[in-house]
Amino acid sequence: MSGNMTFIGGLPVPADHCITSKDNPAVKLYLKLSSQKKERQRYGLFVLEGLRIVEDAVQAGNVEKLFFTEDNFIAFSGEHDLSDIMDRVFIISPEIAKKISLTETTQGVFAVCRIMDCAPVFTENGKYVVLYGLQDPGNVGTIIRTADALGIDGIFMCGSCDLYNPKTLRSTMGSVFRMPVMIINNDDELFSMLKENEVKTMAAVIDADAVKITDIRPEGKQAVFIGNEGNGLSRETADRCDIKVTIPMHGNINSLNAAMAAGILMWEISRDKN
Amino acid sequence: MSGNMTFIGGLPVPADHCITSKDNPAVKLYLKLSSQKKERQRYGLFVLEGLRIVEDAVQAGNVEKLFFTEDNFIAFSGEHDLSDIMDRVFIISPEIAKKISLTETTQGVFAVCRIMDCAPVFTENGKYVVLYGLQDPGNVGTIIRTADALGIDGIFMCGSCDLYNPKTLRSTMGSVFRMPVMIINNDDELFSMLKENEVKTMAAVIDADAVKITDIRPEGKQAVFIGNEGNGLSRETADRCDIKVTIPMHGNINSLNAAMAAGILMWEISRDKN
């Protein structure tokens, strides 16, 4: 850090880190990353908004830039030691906060983070989920969050919506920083990797002839494939899995949404852990 | 039906059932019912939007008024016999459809329905859910939908958000017409009724000392109480239940949202049915 310093809440902030202009390059970059997957991929960066999830990001250590309104900086720096990363802190005006926020009433806390590869580890009794063609960011986020709660060992995303979409990230409630999630959009690579690592692949289907998930022993490495919200797994993908599994239902068979079905399947395969 | 008729798709529609004015009383009533719980309670009516859920309502037989744009009326009447309820059909202009719709791109199909009491029946091995202070319409709707899938016998709502809020109804995906849901906002009445009917009450809590849900035999009449999204059940309410139950978790304990927790608990208590 060099040049003029402004002291805010007793901490030195470089004068050029106090942003009031919408044309500031850091603001422009934030907006690009927020709205476009292409830009996230180009820079290897994504954005976050909200106190709790930014705390998780700071703890995970992959924060590139932090943006706070003045009040929120004072509150945040009072609870977290930011001395090592003060050169990444920017103080923004309430107008800028409003401009970059995706929520109606912003908390005034934002981060730009590095995309980090985080491949799941194949452990002896590892339990995995494959999100195959899921398109709803809320569903993907909820599944990652639930996987974290149930102690699932990793998630693979194939042909699904962007993990780094702000809506997806928000729905994970910070679990994205605790859960190994690997994006692998090539079917052949995905199936080879699972096969090489002796993971039993199980296609979740709505089919009374499939094996009931309650009849599956939660033994060894297992991965359950969850399909698209509207169409489920294609027959081709389901056939490629070792077995087809289904959630036995007493009531209306179409009444489980993708996230709930995934939750129940994860619960069943991780029973022995819990 | 009397007076002038217009024929649309070969069916007779009274001329005064073709609405193009925003000041039409039926349009005004729809908007009031859509936005205000007070008005829904006053009239004993609620509104619905969307092809699938309106089909469910027609099938359930509690439709008071149906609104279609012309194209959608022709499509709908081609698939459903509306002859008995043609006096309840209104044809609306695309502008009116846009005005009353809560979605960005409307399907042009709307209904006004009667609120019907639908008390759950206490069967020998009945499984019930009590939504106690839930405030998110999406969560309530998702829980009703999941309960329908898993064959839960009934839902009681106590101090929760309005069942007839359009967002709640939409999240139920039509399960609201198949699932007995009783609104009972008096704690004492609720507990007495469950006690009189020999229903075992189980408070869902996050507490390592509570009984694991996996250790509960799904025997006899059981009701699981789900608490508010942010705060859970109050200690007072939890203490009033026969036992406290918890979902054993391997990972991050705060990572199950209310709907997912309810889904897993319902899945466990209804295991023997499925």
Side-chain angles (χ1 to χ4, degrees):
Chain A
M1 280 190 276
S2 62
N4 290 331
M5 290 289 173
T6 306
F7 283 81
I8 299 176
L11 286 164
V13 178
D16 64 351
H17 278 211
C18 294
I19 306 179
T20 55
S21 163
K22 289 175 183 172
D23 295 326
N24 182 291
V27 172
K28 285 180 154 176
L29 178 64
Y30 187 99
L31 286 170
K32 277 202 273 190
L33 295 172
S34 176
S35 61
Q36 293 176 58
K37 180 178 175 181
K38 192 183 65 185
E39 299 292 335
R40 293 192 283 271
Q41 289 177 327
R42 178 174 162 203
Y43 290 97
L45 296 172
F46 63 98
V47 299
L48 288 176
E49 172 177 358
L51 179 60
R52 291 289 299 279
I53 199 163
V54 169
E55 285 178 335
D56 288 329
V58 168
Q59 201 154 27
N62 62 336
V63 162
E64 194 81 2
K65 285 191 177 74
L66 286 166
F67 297 90
F68 300 98
T69 53
E70 190 169 327
D71 288 354
N72 284 297
F73 171 69
I74 295 169
F76 198 94
S77 60
E79 302 221 347
H80 303 272
D81 179 9
L82 296 177
S83 52
D84 284 351
I85 51 171
M86 273 307 292
D87 58 333
R88 299 180 203 169
V89 169
F90 293 78
I91 306 298
I92 56 175
S93 65
E95 292 71 33
I96 300 287
K98 204 169 170 190
K99 175 150 181 84
I100 67 176
S101 174
L102 293 174
T103 61
E104 278 182 38
T105 48
T106 178
Q107 295 184 303
V109 182
F110 307 83
V112 174
C113 303
R114 282 184 304 285
I115 291 177
M116 299 206 287
D117 271 333
C118 187
V121 175
F122 291 104
T123 56
E124 198 179 333
N125 199 30
K127 306 300 176 194
Y128 309 92
V129 174
V130 179
L131 304 183
Y132 201 96
L134 265 79
Q135 290 309 318
D136 182 81
N139 280 341
V140 170
T142 301
I143 293 172
I144 293 172
R145 182 181 172 189
T146 306
D148 183 26
L150 298 179
I152 292 294
D153 297 281
I155 291 178
F156 301 92
M157 289 176 68
C158 187
S160 291
C161 63
D162 187 18
L163 173 61
Y164 299 104
N165 175 318
K167 278 190 206 162
T168 315
L169 292 170
R170 190 161 57 235
S171 307
T172 71
M173 298 288 278
S175 288
V176 69
F177 295 110
R178 294 183 289 269
M179 194 70 214
V181 182
M182 186 179 188
I183 295 154
I184 178 166
N185 285 320
N186 180 307
D187 300 38
D188 292 336
E189 271 179 42
L190 171 67
F191 275 98
S192 318
M193 183 181 59
L194 294 174
K195 190 163 194 158
E196 272 167 30
N197 287 284
E198 296 171 331
V199 180
K200 182 164 188 171
T201 51
M202 309 192 290
V205 295
I206 294 180
D207 178 351
D209 293 334
V211 182
K212 288 182 186 180
I213 189 67
T214 42
D215 290 337
I216 300 279
R217 288 284 313 142
E219 287 168 345
K221 294 175 212 165
Q222 296 173 319
V224 60
F225 280 57
I226 310 292
N228 173 268
E229 289 86 355
N231 310 316
L233 290 171
S234 71
R235 176 182 285 267
E236 194 192 342
T237 307
D239 284 346
R240 208 163 166 182
C241 290
D242 297 323
I243 55 165
K244 296 184 186 73
V245 296
T246 197
I247 298 175
M249 274 180 257
H250 189 79
N252 189 300
I253 202 156
N254 291 314
S255 288
L256 280 186
N257 73 17
M260 190 61 77
I264 290 173
L265 293 165
M266 290 191 281
W267 166 254
E268 282 296 314
I269 63 172
S270 64
R271 282 186 86 79
D272 286 4
K273 300 196 174 205
N274 297 315
Chain B
M1 281 190 277
S2 64
N4 289 331
M5 290 288 174
T6 305
F7 283 81
I8 299 176
L11 287 164
V13 178
D16 63 351
H17 278 210
C18 295
I19 305 178
T20 54
S21 162
K22 289 174 185 173
D23 296 325
N24 183 291
V27 172
K28 284 181 156 177
L29 178 63
Y30 187 99
L31 287 170
K32 277 202 272 189
L33 295 172
S34 176
S35 59
Q36 294 175 58
K37 181 179 175 181
K38 192 182 66 185
E39 300 292 337
R40 294 192 283 270
Q41 288 177 329
R42 178 174 161 203
Y43 288 98
L45 296 171
F46 63 97
V47 300
L48 288 176
E49 172 176 0
L51 179 59
R52 291 289 300 278
I53 199 163
V54 169
E55 285 177 336
D56 288 327
V58 169
Q59 202 153 27
N62 60 337
V63 162
E64 195 80 0
K65 286 192 175 72
L66 286 166
F67 298 90
F68 299 99
T69 53
E70 189 168 329
D71 288 354
N72 284 298
F73 171 69
I74 294 169
F76 198 95
S77 60
E79 302 220 347
H80 303 273
D81 179 9
L82 296 177
S83 52
D84 284 350
I85 51 170
M86 273 307 292
D87 57 334
R88 299 180 202 170
V89 169
F90 293 78
I91 307 298
I92 55 175
S93 64
E95 291 72 31
I96 301 287
K98 204 170 170 189
K99 173 148 182 85
I100 67 176
S101 174
L102 293 175
T103 61
E104 278 182 39
T105 47
T106 177
Q107 294 183 305
V109 181
F110 307 83
V112 174
C113 302
R114 281 184 304 286
I115 290 175
M116 298 205 288
D117 271 332
C118 188
V121 176
F122 292 104
T123 56
E124 197 178 334
N125 199 30
K127 306 299 178 195
Y128 309 92
V129 174
V130 179
L131 304 183
Y132 202 96
L134 266 80
Q135 289 310 319
D136 182 82
N139 280 342
V140 170
T142 302
I143 293 171
I144 293 172
R145 182 179 171 189
T146 307
D148 184 26
L150 298 179
I152 292 293
D153 297 281
I155 291 178
F156 300 92
M157 290 176 68
C158 187
S160 291
C161 63
D162 188 19
L163 173 61
Y164 299 103
N165 175 318
K167 278 191 206 161
T168 315
L169 292 169
R170 190 161 57 237
S171 307
T172 71
M173 298 288 279
S175 288
V176 70
F177 295 111
R178 293 183 290 270
M179 193 70 212
V181 182
M182 186 178 187
I183 296 154
I184 177 165
N185 285 320
N186 180 307
D187 300 39
D188 293 335
E189 270 179 42
L190 171 67
F191 275 98
S192 317
M193 184 181 60
L194 294 173
K195 190 164 194 157
E196 271 166 31
N197 287 284
E198 296 171 329
V199 181
K200 182 165 187 172
T201 51
M202 309 192 291
V205 295
I206 296 180
D207 178 351
D209 293 333
V211 181
K212 290 182 184 179
I213 190 67
T214 42
D215 289 338
I216 299 278
R217 289 283 315 141
E219 287 167 345
K221 295 175 211 165
Q222 295 172 320
V224 60
F225 280 57
I226 310 292
N228 172 268
E229 289 86 355
N231 309 316
L233 291 172
S234 71
R235 176 182 285 268
E236 193 193 341
T237 307
D239 283 346
R240 207 163 166 180
C241 290
D242 296 324
I243 55 164
K244 298 185 185 71
V245 296
T246 197
I247 298 175
M249 276 180 254
H250 189 79
N252 189 300
I253 203 156
N254 291 314
S255 288
L256 280 186
N257 73 18
M260 190 61 78
I264 290 173
L265 293 165
M266 290 191 281
W267 166 254
E268 283 295 314
I269 64 172
S270 65
R271 283 186 85 81
D272 285 5
K273 299 196 172 203
N274 297 315

